[in-house]
Amino acid sequence: MTALQRFSGLLLALNLLTPVLQAQSEEARIGLVLGGGGARGAAHVGVLKVLEAQGIVPDVVVGTSMGAIVGGLYASGYRAADIERILEQIDWAAALRDQPGRELLSPQRKADAALIPSSLEVGIGRDGLRTPQGLIQGQNLGLLLRQLLLHAGAVDDFDTLPIPFRAVAADVVTGEQVVLASGDLADAVRASMSVPGAFQPIRIDERLLVDGGVVDNVPIDVARAMGADRLIVVDVGGGLMAEEALGSPASVTMQVISILMSRQTRLRLEMLAPDDVLIRPELGDIGPVDFPRAVDAVPLGEAAARAASQQLQALVATPERLAAFNARARPSWRDERPIDRIEIEDSHSRTAFIVESRLAPLLGMPAESRLIESRIGELYGEGHYERIVYRFDERDDQLVLRITPYDKSWGPSFLRLGLRLSDDFDGGSTYQLDALARFASDIRPGAEWRLRTALGELNEVSAGWRVPFGETSRAYVQPYAALRSLDQPFFVAEQRAELARLRWTRGRVGTELGYDWSPFTRTYLQLERGQDRLARRIGPGEIGGRLRENYGFTGFGVVLDSLDDATFPTRGALVDGRVELYQPWLGSESTAQVLRLDMSRAFSYDRYLMLAGLRTTSARSDELSLQAVDFLGGLGNLSGYGERQLAGPQVFLARGLLMRRMGDAQQLFALPTYLGLSLEAGNAWEQRSDFDFGDLIYSGALYMGVSTPLGPVFLGYGRSSEGRSAIYLNFGSLVRPSRQ
């Protein structure tokens, strides 16, 4: 064979091998790395849209924080358009709070919050006070992720997902990187985005995990370890917020983390090979906590990916590979299947038996996530749990619902603290310090010893033992004892001028037996016996009537409460009614029959909300008794008058409050601020026969209200038709409990 023939043969062989070499190049394993960045991570969705349009198929997906959320959804079968629709529909304000809507809180937790509007609650134990490890426990976010990933609930090995996936987290104890490759996918994603300080860490396999961005915000090394030859890396970090945007603890936390991550990210990006593709969207002023603007980042990510389309072209999949990728089953969950078994994991909760009994009615019902989450929301509203997790398993042709409740790690005993201030700028100022301690009982799980102390305008010490009972623990009995005292104005005829100030002291013991039919409804029966004492504190003259009065009554009450907020409600209603029958056989010196009724209804439109209310007390008795007296006065409670300046056994008040929310209503972690107008009509009388609509006092107020962690704060001016006026600075709700 001549040299020419040998050379021709070599050329022929090379021509034959060229398609093989190209195929090998085309079959290089592609890794998609999605970095963390909070709300900025929504830009990943825009990048995915371009990758799909160009026919690029990732062989592995690795994500940190928001990148783990988008990556986990994509790896489990969602398309980019699906994830974009999800972003558009998410109510971020609801997803990033712990509690379900207030309407789902238990009647007892609503009553506690009405008594002390502050949200400051800490754990108490032998080692002192304990606080949560994060501002947000993430219960609602966890439920949202669970709902989106139900179709992957049975997956334990993330390599078996349509695209092999890894979520990156950090061990907050050791500082080590933790690569989550198996287990519960929703928990893995949730752990990867647990921003330290903002979100409660999650414990997985005995490790306490936080946001993976702390150790590896663009986990290039993890994708390499999964066998990726070529990488597409999307970096959405950076984006430091301006000073004026740092208006909340969460925003400051995110800013500090962004600063710490920037240097580490630069070092990671130096690991990229020349043929890897780096995409860094220009996200402008979209900050890590601007979740309501997250969907705005999608087109910006899309633009950045298009700018890199020439580099991406080299990674286009073969037609066969692309066809197989597009043939993936779309995420689906057959929610019409009945639940065959319910299993409760009780190793993390003292009250798992309550969870089991409350969820037992789900047996045999369809496996609908919204139905399950509604029941879990009611349980979470009891206030015992840090989070409640559910997942489905399929065993022996049965659908098994597994529930794991986690008690609050800073419990099980809690202290709620509150501060109330009031100043009418006319020499009348008061303060009120409140504390409510709830001690978990070792006698019966779920029971609690309750101790309330108050100092200031109202001084009180009370103690009770609340014991739930029955199959679902909805019934309860609560024996109690209390001693309280306060200063009460004493008026001359027609209650228009203050003659003296009296010290009113009440000691009482009693028992309440009740039943919570639902989060909205409570009925109760009450037996109470006590003694009232009046002593002149300031002013001349003697006090008319008895200085000491014994009383005893049986009472029956109904509370219907579906307000979504106790101070600035947008929907729902409150009906609180009770009848008190004062009985000689209980030692009462009075035979009064007293009806108390308080009703409120909330409406809203856009930024406006309206609260319409009616309150009345009507006593039927032979003579005036202290127990039948009710009070008017204060902002929104017959404005222009001071607190409790109008008093009598016959009280009527009708009012309407109109409020407008100021500022950006979509901004998260802000203090909601409202401008309000209140119009009221009411009065107090001694006898039922004295009641006359012609005697009504009309009043109104202009005010500004701010919702703070210490409770709502109001600054306002009120004036009545009687010429009374007052300036108010109040800490405390305008929707007040009927029973104190």
Side-chain angles (χ1 to χ4, degrees):
M1 182 179 295
T2 66
L4 181 60
Q5 289 173 325
R6 286 197 296 271
F7 182 71
S8 299
L10 180 59
L11 288 177
L12 178 61
L14 287 174
N15 288 332
L16 292 173
L17 283 173
T18 297
V20 177
L21 294 174
Q22 289 176 341
Q24 289 177 346
S25 176
E26 290 168 352
E27 291 173 4
R29 288 177 61 80
I30 299 173
L32 178 61
V33 179
L34 304 179
R40 295 164 62 89
H44 293 315
V45 180
V47 174
L48 292 177
K49 291 174 69 175
V50 173
L51 297 185
E52 288 182 349
Q54 291 196 218
I56 297 172
V57 176
D59 294 280
V60 299
V61 177
V62 182
T64 295
S65 194
M66 190 66 170
I69 295 179
V70 175
L73 294 174
Y74 196 64
S76 71
Y78 284 97
R79 274 57 167 178
D82 300 329
I83 304 175
E84 185 176 22
R85 280 193 294 271
I86 290 170
L87 288 175
E88 292 171 346
Q89 295 169 2
I90 290 177
D91 180 353
W92 289 106
L96 294 178
R97 71 182 179 209
D98 293 324
Q99 297 286 4
R102 178 188 176 274
E103 60 268 28
L104 289 181
L105 296 183
S106 71
Q108 189 58 51
R109 297 289 85 87
K110 289 176 182 174
D112 291 347
L115 194 64
I116 303 180
S118 165
S119 60
L120 295 180
E121 185 178 76
V122 297
I124 48 177
R126 295 177 181 176
D127 54 347
L129 300 180
R130 298 190 295 267
T131 60
Q133 294 171 307
L135 296 175
I136 303 171
Q137 308 312 307
Q139 169 69 8
N140 286 353
L141 180 61
L143 290 177
L144 173 63
L145 294 172
R146 184 76 50 187
Q147 183 184 124
L148 295 173
L149 294 170
L150 272 179
H151 63 283
V155 173
D156 186 64
D157 183 354
F158 299 167
D159 282 338
T160 63
L161 290 167
I163 308 174
F165 172 70
R166 299 290 185 271
V168 176
D171 188 320
V172 73
V173 177
T174 66
E176 297 174 342
Q177 180 193 68
V178 179
V179 179
L180 299 168
S182 61
D184 187 308
L185 180 59
D187 271 357
V189 170
R190 166 68 179 83
S192 180
M193 54 78 59
S194 296
V195 178
F199 285 92
Q200 183 83 0
I202 285 191
R203 189 174 298 278
I204 297 179
D205 295 333
E206 303 308 317
R207 304 190 77 166
L208 200 59
L209 304 181
V210 296
D211 193 313
V214 174
V215 293
D216 200 348
N217 201 45
V218 281
I220 294 169
D221 54 333
V222 178
R224 297 281 192 212
M226 295 178 71
D229 304 308
R230 305 279 298 276
L231 298 181
I232 302 171
V233 179
V234 187
D235 177 21
V236 294
L240 297 181
M241 292 175 281
E243 181 178 349
E244 56 270 15
L246 301 176
S248 68
S251 62
V252 173
T253 299
M254 292 294 292
Q255 182 86 328
V256 172
I257 291 174
S258 295
I259 294 171
L260 295 175
M261 289 190 309
S262 58
R263 181 176 180 275
Q264 174 251 36
T265 298
R266 286 196 300 269
L267 295 175
R268 290 294 185 190
L269 294 179
E270 291 175 0
M271 299 168 56
L272 291 176
D275 55 355
D276 292 331
V277 181
L278 173 62
I279 300 174
R280 306 182 85 168
E282 294 291 337
L283 298 172
D285 63 347
I286 298 178
V289 296
D290 289 335
F291 286 98
R293 298 179 59 196
V295 72
D296 296 338
V298 175
L300 301 178
E302 195 171 351
R306 284 204 185 98
S309 58
Q310 188 172 355
Q311 292 176 276
L312 293 172
Q313 192 62 39
L315 304 179
V316 173
T318 63
E320 295 78 16
R321 173 86 170 98
L322 184 59
F325 183 74
N326 290 333
R328 293 176 297 159
R330 300 189 75 88
S332 64
W333 174 252
R334 292 173 49 206
D335 58 8
E336 77 280 0
R337 290 177 297 174
I339 300 172
D340 298 303
R341 284 167 54 192
I342 299 177
E343 295 180 356
I344 308 295
E345 169 57 54
D346 61 2
S347 60
H348 303 286
S349 174
R350 302 171 75 252
T351 57
F353 68 95
I354 296 179
V355 176
E356 184 174 13
S357 62
R358 296 279 183 91
L359 296 184
L362 292 175
L363 193 63
M365 298 184 70
E368 297 180 5
S369 59
R370 296 190 183 279
L371 175 63
I372 296 167
E373 291 172 12
S374 175
R375 296 296 183 99
I376 287 177
E378 291 184 19
L379 282 164
Y380 196 82
E382 294 285 341
H384 303 304
Y385 308 106
E386 182 176 310
R387 61 188 181 117
I388 302 176
V389 175
Y390 76 96
R391 65 181 298 182
F392 287 101
D393 284 343
E394 297 188 42
R395 294 188 232 134
D396 303 324
D397 295 326
Q398 287 191 325
L399 186 62
V400 182
L401 173 61
R402 292 173 52 193
I403 306 287
T404 306
Y406 293 83
D407 283 347
K408 289 180 176 177
S409 55
W410 60 97
S413 299
F414 303 95
L415 176 65
R416 190 182 190 101
L417 301 171
L419 169 67
R420 302 188 191 193
L421 301 173
S422 177
D423 196 320
D424 61 8
F425 296 89
D426 192 28
S429 61
T430 61
Y431 74 93
Q432 185 74 41
L433 296 174
D434 288 298
L436 174 64
R438 299 187 288 119
F439 298 95
S441 173
D442 293 328
I443 300 175
R444 174 180 170 81
E448 59 185 24
W449 298 94
R450 299 169 58 84
L451 176 64
R452 184 198 177 194
T453 58
L455 179 65
E457 179 188 20
L458 170 71
N459 295 320
E460 179 172 359
V461 176
S462 64
W465 187 36
R466 187 177 185 275
V467 185
F469 63 91
E471 184 178 356
T472 60
S473 297
R474 292 188 182 276
Y476 69 91
V477 61
Q478 180 175 324
Y480 59 87
L483 176 65
R484 76 174 184 182
S485 60
L486 57 88
D487 288 344
Q488 173 60 38
F490 182 67
F491 294 91
V492 296
E494 297 186 357
Q495 305 173 326
R496 296 297 182 265
E498 184 176 346
L499 177 65
R501 189 161 289 261
L502 312 178
R503 192 63 172 173
W504 183 356
T505 302
R506 171 176 289 184
R508 57 197 175 106
V509 295
T511 298
E512 185 174 308
L513 177 66
Y515 192 88
D516 295 337
W517 300 89
S518 71
F520 316 108
T521 308
R522 163 178 284 187
T523 57
Y524 61 91
L525 176 67
Q526 191 176 6
L527 293 175
E528 182 174 300
R529 182 170 182 176
Q531 185 181 85
D532 285 318
R533 296 184 182 183
L534 282 180
R536 179 169 51 84
R537 185 160 185 170
I538 300 175
E542 297 295 329
I543 304 170
R546 291 187 295 270
L547 297 179
R548 177 181 301 177
E549 184 176 77
N550 295 316
Y551 74 89
F553 73 83
T554 59
F556 176 76
V558 178
V559 180
L560 307 173
D561 187 354
S562 61
L563 292 177
D564 64 338
D565 189 277
T567 306
F568 304 110
T570 62
R571 64 180 183 275
L574 169 65
V575 178
D576 188 348
R578 60 189 305 210
V579 175
E580 299 169 359
L581 304 176
Y582 290 83
Q583 308 284 350
W585 62 271
L586 282 173
S588 179
E589 298 178 31
S590 167
T591 58
Q593 303 168 24
V594 183
L595 170 66
R596 306 184 194 273
L597 181 62
D598 192 347
M599 299 187 295
S600 296
R601 182 75 168 88
F603 309 88
S604 66
Y605 175 75
D606 194 25
R607 289 176 173 266
Y608 295 89
L609 60 91
M610 180 176 180
L611 185 67
L614 177 69
R615 182 161 71 88
T616 183
T617 297
S618 181
R620 182 176 180 180
S621 60
D622 297 331
E623 56 185 3
L624 179 65
S625 62
L626 291 173
Q627 297 76 44
V629 173
D630 203 349
F631 306 95
L632 291 176
L635 181 64
N637 200 42
L638 214 57
S639 303
Y641 287 85
E643 295 282 338
R644 300 189 313 278
Q645 279 194 353
L646 295 177
Q650 317 294 328
V651 167
F652 175 84
L653 176 70
R655 67 177 186 171
L657 289 78
L658 178 66
M659 290 172 269
R660 184 183 191 275
R661 179 161 180 173
M662 309 302 295
D664 184 2
Q666 298 299 318
Q667 185 178 358
L668 301 177
F669 312 115
L671 299 179
T673 302
Y674 295 83
L675 289 181
L677 167 68
S678 176
L679 298 175
E680 309 125 34
N683 206 340
W685 300 269
E686 289 190 8
Q687 302 293 330
R688 296 175 67 185
S689 58
D690 295 335
F691 178 86
D692 188 344
F693 280 110
D695 292 337
L696 290 180
I697 300 171
Y698 298 93
S699 64
L702 294 173
Y703 60 88
M704 180 177 70
V706 182
S707 181
T708 76
L710 288 173
V713 181
F714 294 92
L715 175 64
Y717 170 78
R719 186 172 180 84
S720 75
S721 58
E722 298 289 304
R724 296 266 186 160
S725 63
I727 300 175
Y728 301 97
L729 174 62
N730 290 348
F731 278 63
S733 177
L734 296 180
V735 182
R736 305 180 183 183
S738 62
R739 294 186 294 162
Q740 296 247 0

